[in-house]
Amino acid sequence: MRKGVSGFVREPRTIILIILIVISLAAISTLGIPQGLDLKGGSIIQLQLEKPVDPATMNTITSVLDKRLNIFGVKDVKVRASGSQNVIIEIAGVNPEEVTRIVGAPGKFEAKIDNKTVLTGADIVSVQSPIIQGNQWQVPFRISTDGAKRFAKAAEGKAGAPVDMYLDDRLITSPTISPDVAAGKPVTDVAITGTESTKESAELKAKEVETLLKSGSLPVKVKIVGVSSVSAELGGEFTKGAIIAGLLAVIAIIIILVARYRTPILVLPIFFTTLAELILILGVAAIIRWNIDLAAIAGILAAIGTGVDDQIIMTDEVLSGEKVKRRRRRFRIREAFFIIFASAGTLIAAMLPLAYVGFSRGATGIGMLAGFAFTTVLGVLIGVFITRPVYAKFMEYII
């Protein structure tokens, strides 16, 4: 028995599994497990474009929106295309009112002198952090040399005249032309200023302007057609329900195994292998920042259930050949793995179309199932190529 245990522990696959478990636990403890809307609370914002667009334009739109939300400071955000005319935005842990103005704004910047456009968003080279003084705000930015020359030419001889700065056709500020610029001297450093009723409002407005200037304009107009929210309290209830469902699943598995094998040397290894699969799945989710929501939890349970079935198949094959030679037992394990690989291939083949449709449709009804499909496939692959071969080695050495 001791010789079998030492041989099993020295197996390369066993060592690799232990290393991967340690890495996964470290990732979970340091990075945390990303939680989706179902568990953390948040919002789903549905945008509709003014007209259908081609895939390249849609990629530009989703990139601009994703950049805006990241600049604005929103974390755990997913921006997905839904068809050719809709965009779905998932935001975890954020009130939708805080970001609807950001995602729904075209982001078009114009500076006009005598009602003639002299600068646009294309002339902006960089945007600095906002400056807040009381309830007054300022967003400095730098324009290109060509833009500065064009601006100076339009401002020549017009000292004291207003420069109307518009954002999405709304007049934001109207600074006056300085004598230096009116004399034809190009200036690349410009600023948008404004005054709000409170310091908090000034900070929010400045951040909004900074975000729109940095992210650029959208190629087409968009409008918000739907906003749905999941409160943090409801997310907490979902979390409790998910934990209860997981515990019930574990208890059911243990009861079935005890009833079938009636010995700890067979029951405990299956349980620990299942626990290892769970740790590896959550570790991968923590590393790649894959949100765990209710659909993903369902996928984890499906993968774990498949793993237990596979281990029962291997155990039964070995026990049925317990009285035959060791070579024959290895052959039986290979037979079991043939069944396991065939089953895994069938399951993955069934999940891939669901995952494709889900990712292509975004976070609409069927799109939510992409999390289920991805997590199920991930769990099956981890089991087939990592944990179940180690369990097979355990059966070979110990049983």
Side-chain angles (χ1 to χ4, degrees):
M1 182 71 173
R2 290 181 180 177
K3 186 177 179 181
V5 172
S6 62
F8 169 70
V9 173
R10 288 197 300 267
E11 272 289 326
R13 290 183 177 179
T14 305
I15 296 172
I16 292 173
L17 176 60
I18 294 173
I19 293 173
L20 292 177
I21 290 175
V22 172
I23 293 174
S24 296
L25 290 174
I28 293 171
S29 61
T30 56
L31 302 176
I33 300 174
Q35 298 179 10
L37 298 180
D38 298 337
L39 305 181
K40 190 176 182 180
S43 307
I44 297 178
I45 302 175
Q46 302 177 39
L47 301 180
Q48 186 179 67
L49 312 184
E50 63 177 347
K51 60 181 180 181
V53 297
D54 55 60
T57 304
M58 181 61 78
N59 286 337
T60 301
I61 293 170
T62 54
S63 297
V64 169
L65 291 173
D66 184 74
K67 184 178 180 181
R68 280 187 187 180
L69 292 169
N70 279 280
I71 292 172
F72 196 69
V74 178
K75 299 179 180 180
D76 296 332
V77 58
K78 290 183 179 180
V79 182
R80 298 175 183 164
S82 180
S84 61
Q85 199 175 355
N86 295 282
V87 176
I88 307 297
I89 301 175
E90 292 183 23
I91 305 171
V94 177
N95 193 307
E97 284 76 12
E98 297 179 11
V99 296
T100 49
R101 293 195 303 272
I102 295 296
V103 299
K108 183 179 69 173
F109 169 75
E110 290 179 303
K112 297 183 178 182
I113 298 177
D114 295 335
N115 208 29
K116 294 181 180 179
T117 302
V118 294
L119 290 176
T120 66
D123 297 310
I124 297 176
V125 175
S126 62
V127 181
Q128 284 76 48
S129 299
I131 300 172
I132 309 296
Q133 294 180 337
N135 62 344
Q136 296 182 338
W137 57 269
Q138 182 183 94
V139 180
F141 61 96
R142 182 164 294 175
I143 61 176
S144 64
T145 303
D146 290 340
K149 291 178 180 178
R150 187 169 62 252
F151 182 83
K153 184 177 180 180
E156 190 172 1
K158 299 179 181 177
V163 179
D164 297 325
M165 295 188 178
Y166 293 85
L167 197 57
D168 294 334
D169 299 323
R170 291 183 292 115
L171 180 63
I172 302 298
T173 184
S174 298
T176 57
I177 299 173
S178 67
D180 290 342
V181 177
K185 181 181 178 181
V187 176
T188 57
D189 292 323
V190 191
I192 296 181
T193 61
T195 303
E196 303 298 323
S197 57
T198 64
K199 182 178 180 180
E200 289 74 18
S201 299
E203 291 174 348
L204 183 61
K205 185 65 177 181
K207 190 64 179 177
E208 178 184 340
V209 172
E210 178 198 12
T211 299
L212 294 177
L213 292 180
K214 280 186 176 180
S215 63
S217 60
L218 294 170
V220 298
K221 292 182 179 180
V222 300
K223 64 178 179 179
I224 298 173
V225 295
V227 178
S228 57
S229 300
V230 177
S231 68
E233 291 78 10
L234 186 56
E237 292 298 322
F238 283 148
T239 303
K240 292 179 183 177
I243 293 174
I244 292 173
L247 291 176
L248 291 176
V250 171
I251 292 172
I253 290 172
I254 292 176
I255 291 174
I256 293 172
L257 293 176
V258 170
R260 185 176 183 86
Y261 298 119
R262 301 177 184 277
T263 173
I265 198 173
L266 293 177
V267 175
L268 292 179
I270 296 177
F271 174 76
F272 285 122
T273 303
T274 302
L275 182 61
E277 288 183 12
L278 175 61
I279 292 173
L280 293 181
I281 293 172
L282 295 179
V284 172
I287 293 171
I288 68 174
R289 310 312 297 164
W290 176 260
N291 281 348
I292 299 298
D293 52 15
L294 291 183
I297 291 174
I300 292 174
L301 294 177
I304 288 176
T306 303
V308 173
D309 287 342
D310 293 344
Q311 292 170 79
I312 290 175
I313 291 173
M314 285 189 288
T315 305
D316 288 349
E317 285 292 327
V318 172
L319 293 179
S320 64
E322 188 176 6
K323 296 182 179 180
V324 301
K325 294 181 179 180
R326 180 182 179 88
R327 185 179 300 175
R328 178 58 181 167
R329 276 184 245 160
R330 289 181 176 177
F331 180 71
R332 284 183 174 274
I333 290 177
R334 292 193 188 99
E335 287 181 328
F337 260 98
F338 176 79
I339 299 173
I340 291 168
F341 274 107
S343 175
T346 303
L347 180 59
I348 292 173
M351 290 293 108
L352 288 180
L354 183 61
Y356 170 77
V357 173
F359 282 118
S360 65
R361 291 299 299 172
T364 55
I366 194 168
M368 292 294 289
L369 296 180
F372 170 77
F374 175 82
T375 311
T376 302
V377 171
L378 175 63
V380 169
L381 291 176
I382 288 175
V384 168
F385 292 105
I386 300 176
T387 58
R388 287 161 218 176
V390 174
Y391 180 77
K393 285 296 180 182
F394 172 83
M395 298 296 294
E396 181 181 325
Y397 276 94
I398 306 302
I399 305 303

